[in-house]
Amino acid sequence: MILAAARRLLLAFAALFCASLAADPAVPADGIVGDWMVATGDAIIRFARDGDSYDGHIVWQLHDTYGPEDGPELNGKPVLDRHNPDPALRSHTVDGLRMIWALRYDADEQEWSGGHVYDLEDGHTYRCRIRLVDADHLHLRGYFGISLLGGSTVWTRVRMLPAGSNPARTPLVPPVDPARPGGGPSGGS
């Protein structure tokens, strides 16, 4: 009798374990919200919800001024959006620049897609989609036309801006804690 009860208990635990493996918890739509260090380590992009889509803005740069390697005419000057296809925008600094926009979460695919990513290096805008690899890494695919014609990168979530960051230069909303209901600001009140 004890052996039969133990068998039933073991089968119940096995069934619960198998059910937990089969249940793939959906990624919450706001899982992308927060600050992300780009793969090169020279910028942090902050994702925030904008209505029913998500945008990403530059909130920190390793180099906010040009160095000697950029030539004497640029050395020491603020980094500008100098490759922008609109000549009127080439004189704008990149602090706070919207790099990614119009991403919409697709719960079935567990990805953010339909958006665009702007490449400061060449001034081109590409389509993009993003998937979370895990809670602290995202995979961004930028492409032209179809996804096969593009490139990918992995970014890492950061919990705070690097030491020495000047908050006055990052005029966007405070970092958002995706674990808080409603995605409110992290930290105390």
Side-chain angles (χ1 to χ4, degrees):
M1 180 120 112
I2 292 176
L3 188 57
R7 245 187 231 151
R8 283 193 301 268
L9 186 60
L10 182 59
L11 286 173
F13 280 123
L16 282 173
F17 177 74
C18 290
S20 71
L21 289 179
D24 185 16
V27 174
D30 285 347
I32 195 174
V33 171
D35 294 344
W36 298 86
M37 177 76 73
V38 300
T40 56
D42 59 0
I44 294 176
I45 308 300
R46 179 171 295 155
F47 281 99
R49 182 183 277 253
D50 181 17
D52 61 349
S53 66
Y54 296 84
D55 293 348
H57 294 80
I58 296 175
V59 293
W60 176 84
Q61 306 169 73
L62 180 60
H63 304 288
D64 59 349
T65 59
Y66 293 108
E69 67 279 2
D70 298 306
E73 69 282 352
L74 293 175
N75 188 18
K77 293 182 180 175
V79 175
L80 303 176
D81 187 9
R82 63 186 177 150
H83 299 293
N84 195 302
D86 181 349
L89 298 177
R90 292 180 188 158
S91 62
H92 291 181
T93 64
V94 297
D95 290 333
L97 182 72
R98 184 177 69 164
M99 299 290 298
I100 299 174
W101 63 95
L103 284 169
R104 295 187 189 283
Y105 185 67
D106 180 336
D108 293 335
E109 296 294 324
Q110 293 190 6
E111 72 177 14
W112 293 262
S113 59
H116 303 278
V117 59
Y118 175 67
D119 186 345
L120 275 170
E121 298 298 317
D122 62 16
H124 290 106
T125 298
Y126 302 93
R127 297 183 64 185
C128 74
R129 69 175 193 227
I130 294 176
R131 286 182 180 263
L132 288 182
V133 175
D134 57 43
D136 290 324
H137 298 90
L138 65 76
H139 177 266
L140 182 145
R141 177 87 179 151
Y143 57 96
F144 180 75
I146 60 172
S147 183
L148 288 171
L149 304 174
S152 295
T153 185
V154 174
W155 295 357
T156 303
R157 186 184 297 276
V158 293
R159 304 289 180 208
M160 60 178 39
L161 296 178
S165 295
N166 181 353
R169 288 185 39 244
T170 55
L172 300 175
V173 296
V176 175
D177 183 352
R180 284 189 53 164
S186 58
S189 48

